[in-house]
Amino acid sequence: MSEQLQHEILSLLEEDSRLDQEQIAHMLGESKENVAQTIQELQEKGVIVKYGAVINWQKSGKQRVSALIDVKVTPQRGYGFDALAKRIYLFPEVRSVYLMSGAYDLSVALEVDSMEAVGRFVEKLATLDSVVATTTHFVLKKYKEDGVILDDPETDQRLVISP
């Protein structure tokens, strides 16, 4: 399997994970078997880890609270930040965990059903060994997520003037 084919398949799936192998084969001028084998190998190697949809929860009618939590930690000898990051990403409400440069060490993205649930999570997080401080930021509105614009396109609010 060529590296170029892998990258082309990955780009197509990243843009639209609903594409089936036949559609990808047609778009790339490849055989369906070659595309299927390449996708299987990419999944086995852990390059493709999940297929999903971007949901605009604001339009769904279901309340979702998103928060970003900056975490300052004391790194553990022999493990650095990895052991604590693993403890954090195993919580089911955690969407993402990133090692950061700057004033804080880890950034945790959280998505839950209420502000109270964010508070309960921050209490769990703050009591973990090595956690020195946390700062919580609530997401008030999402304009763009995973490359998809969620904001409604603006309509022209100007008055029509005719001569």
Side-chain angles (χ1 to χ4, degrees):
M1 105 181 115
S2 80
E3 196 170 304
Q4 170 141 358
L5 177 60
Q6 289 179 18
H7 291 170
E8 289 173 344
I9 290 172
L10 291 171
S11 293
L12 288 172
L13 288 174
E14 183 178 43
E15 184 65 31
D16 184 358
S17 65
R18 295 178 302 164
L19 291 172
D20 63 33
Q21 295 170 356
E22 192 170 316
Q23 291 171 311
I24 294 170
H26 178 73
M27 294 168 84
L28 299 178
E30 293 283 337
S31 71
K32 181 180 174 187
E33 293 76 23
N34 195 19
V35 167
Q37 179 184 353
T38 302
I39 289 173
Q40 182 178 350
E41 290 174 12
L42 289 167
Q43 290 171 337
E44 289 170 358
K45 289 196 300 189
V47 176
I48 298 175
V49 293
K50 182 181 176 182
Y51 297 90
V54 176
I55 309 295
N56 188 342
W57 287 105
Q58 292 169 320
K59 290 186 176 183
S60 75
K62 179 169 174 37
Q63 180 183 357
R64 299 292 287 176
V65 176
S66 297
L68 303 171
I69 304 169
D70 296 327
V71 185
K72 188 162 191 65
V73 304
T74 303
Q76 296 176 334
R77 175 170 281 145
Y79 296 102
F81 299 101
D82 295 345
L84 183 60
K86 182 177 182 178
R87 287 187 68 191
I88 294 170
Y89 70 61
L90 289 175
F91 288 111
E93 56 268 326
V94 172
R95 303 280 298 166
S96 305
V97 178
Y98 304 103
L99 179 62
M100 305 296 290
S101 63
Y104 287 86
D105 304 304
L106 298 173
S107 182
V108 179
L110 194 68
E111 192 161 282
V112 292
D113 292 331
S114 67
M115 294 194 49
E116 292 81 14
V118 174
R120 287 190 300 272
F121 177 78
V122 171
E123 286 178 17
K124 289 190 286 190
L125 183 62
T127 60
L128 293 176
D129 291 341
S130 304
V131 171
V132 176
T134 64
T135 301
T136 304
H137 310 273
F138 289 96
V139 176
L140 301 177
K141 181 176 181 181
K142 292 182 182 180
Y143 294 98
K144 185 175 185 178
E145 185 166 27
D146 289 336
V148 178
I149 296 171
L150 301 175
D151 201 22
D152 288 328
E154 289 187 28
T155 56
D156 194 351
Q157 300 292 324
R158 296 178 291 176
L159 296 175
V160 176
I161 300 176
S162 57

